[in-house]
Amino acid sequence: MTEIRKVGVVGAGLMGSGIAQVSAAAGYDTVVREVEQGFLDRGMARIEKNLDRAVAKEKLGPGERDAIAGRLHPTVDLADLAGCDLVIEAITENLEAKHELFGAVGGVCEDDAVFASNTSSLSITELAAGTDRPDRFVGLHFFNPVPVMPLVEVVRCGQTSKETFDVAFAFAKSVGKSPIACGDNTGFVVNRLLVPYMLDAIRAYESGIASIPDIDKGLRLGCGYPMGPFTLGDFVGLDTLYHITEIMYNEYKEARFASPPLLRRMFLAGYHGRKTGKGFYDYSGPEPVVSDFVK
Ligand code: CAA
């Protein structure tokens, strides 16, 4: 079985930086690649902040933090992925961009390197088919925030070899996660169930049954969820949620995956949640309040 020593993470956004952090923390030399120095710096600063916070809480010693930081190799040069045994892609949810990236990485890495995508909704089968190694391609879907959430969905498509799946599953365990095995259906397990639930919450609000804070409160206090559906939507990003609904509806053609009109309008208006400061809630004050778009 392929031994993973060096890991490449492509994309240093919220997900990529989190994946790089847990990989380096687990002892892997980890190359982090971004297209632009500014994006790379932002991703590395996020990791540094997380590690510093862990040191301040005495969950990590300063020596361990420095060792983790020493295993992270930020770069804007794709050629630095040479020698990686596993490359995990966490770039924008765009099929062409991912195909282009894997084409280029295929020219840099050894033939036996395993390629993985952190996509939450695109088809692993389609991504694998566009590479030079469909049998060595797998989905590794982490959850936000990556350093905290214990789940990884390990997604096997028809072309994935057993060895590749086993390598990916073992890797997820080795970075301290609890993986589950999934077949390649859009949304895998979690988003297939979570997205219709979040969309139903928006429809419930649209039909006037309760306010946004009360629906959130109901699900938090009535079901023990850490966040209500609107808080979670803002946390995931309403642009991301909207794009996922488009992909899922396109695959299943079922009304429960279709975007409610309100979500589409908030996406078009740039109310993307925490990342833009406003979504269902406005985050500009000391406590979130219902945003002007839905007042
Ligand atoms: N990055 C790193 N660590 C973070 C963090 C972040 N963004 N946010 C919180 N943490 C850490 C904190 O440092 C803290 O660590 P310690 O326990 O070591 O002190 C711990 O998480 C708990 O944080 P808080 O006490 O500040 O806050 P909390 O108890 O409210 O937890 C939360 C925050 C973990 C985000 C929690 O609210 C939660 O689990 N929310 C639901 C998240 C969720 O459902 N994620 C999945 C989204 S769907 C997805 O990702 C799939 C997709 O494809 C769209």
Side-chain angles (χ1 to χ4, degrees):
M1 192 154 102
T2 306
E3 197 195 335
I4 307 292
R5 287 172 303 252
K6 189 171 171 190
V7 174
V9 178
V10 186
L14 213 54
M15 299 304 289
S17 61
I19 297 168
Q21 180 185 324
V22 297
S23 167
Y28 296 106
D29 262 323
T30 306
V31 179
V32 190
R33 193 264 179 175
E34 252 299 353
V35 275
E36 272 183 34
Q37 191 63 43
F39 296 150
L40 187 63
D41 292 345
R42 223 177 303 158
M44 297 310 292
R46 196 177 299 119
I47 298 176
E48 201 180 312
K49 196 171 145 200
N50 280 343
L51 296 178
D52 286 346
R53 195 166 51 190
V55 171
K57 287 181 180 169
E58 295 182 352
K59 297 203 164 176
L60 199 66
E64 285 171 287
R65 173 199 49 204
D66 296 345
I68 296 170
R71 285 193 286 272
L72 287 162
H73 310 290
T75 182
V76 288
D77 189 354
L78 205 70
D80 289 337
L81 293 168
C84 287
D85 307 296
L86 169 67
V87 175
I88 306 171
E89 165 276 314
I91 67 167
T92 177
E93 286 288 74
N94 178 294
L95 188 66
E96 282 81 57
K98 289 183 198 279
H99 273 319
E100 200 179 307
L101 174 76
F102 282 119
V105 180
V108 166
C109 289
E110 298 294 329
D111 290 345
D112 61 353
V114 169
F115 287 177
S117 176
N118 179 57
T119 183
S120 58
S121 50
L122 294 171
S123 159
I124 299 299
T125 308
E126 196 171 3
L127 287 171
T131 70
D132 60 356
R133 62 196 75 199
D135 59 319
R136 303 189 70 75
F137 196 96
V138 67
L140 269 177
H141 183 219
F142 290 78
F143 289 79
N144 180 26
V146 176
V148 182
M149 303 306 280
L151 184 70
V152 175
E153 292 176 316
V154 184
V155 186
R156 180 191 349 224
C157 61
Q159 306 100 306
T160 310
S161 72
K162 182 178 180 313
E163 193 203 339
T164 300
F165 179 82
D166 290 346
V167 165
F169 202 86
F171 172 77
K173 276 188 175 171
S174 75
V175 299
K177 302 299 180 192
S178 293
I180 57 171
C182 304
D184 180 32
N185 283 278
T186 294
F188 312 134
V189 172
V190 172
N191 279 343
R192 184 154 178 175
L193 301 177
L194 179 66
V195 169
Y197 151 74
M198 292 168 78
L199 301 182
D200 262 348
I202 300 172
R203 291 185 192 107
Y205 167 70
E206 282 179 322
S207 66
I209 66 158
S211 69
I212 285 172
D214 278 354
I215 295 174
D216 267 354
K217 190 172 169 181
L219 273 299
R220 254 189 318 108
L221 302 188
C223 300
Y225 292 176
M227 291 173 167
F230 295 99
T231 305
L232 183 60
D234 279 357
F235 181 72
V236 167
L238 299 184
D239 53 338
T240 304
L241 181 60
Y242 176 70
H243 288 309
I244 293 176
T245 64
E246 291 280 276
I247 294 168
M248 292 185 85
Y249 182 72
N250 193 37
E251 168 119 336
Y252 298 115
K253 304 285 190 301
E254 290 175 34
R256 67 201 178 103
F257 296 109
S259 170
L262 176 61
L263 176 63
R264 179 170 155 75
R265 274 155 187 74
M266 293 181 76
F267 163 69
L268 293 172
Y271 281 64
H272 294 174
R274 281 191 194 210
K275 66 176 83 164
T276 55
K278 279 185 187 182
F280 292 109
Y281 295 94
D282 182 328
Y283 297 90
S284 56
E287 290 295 326
V289 291
V290 173
S291 85
D292 51 357
F293 205 93
V294 282
K295 261 201 173 129

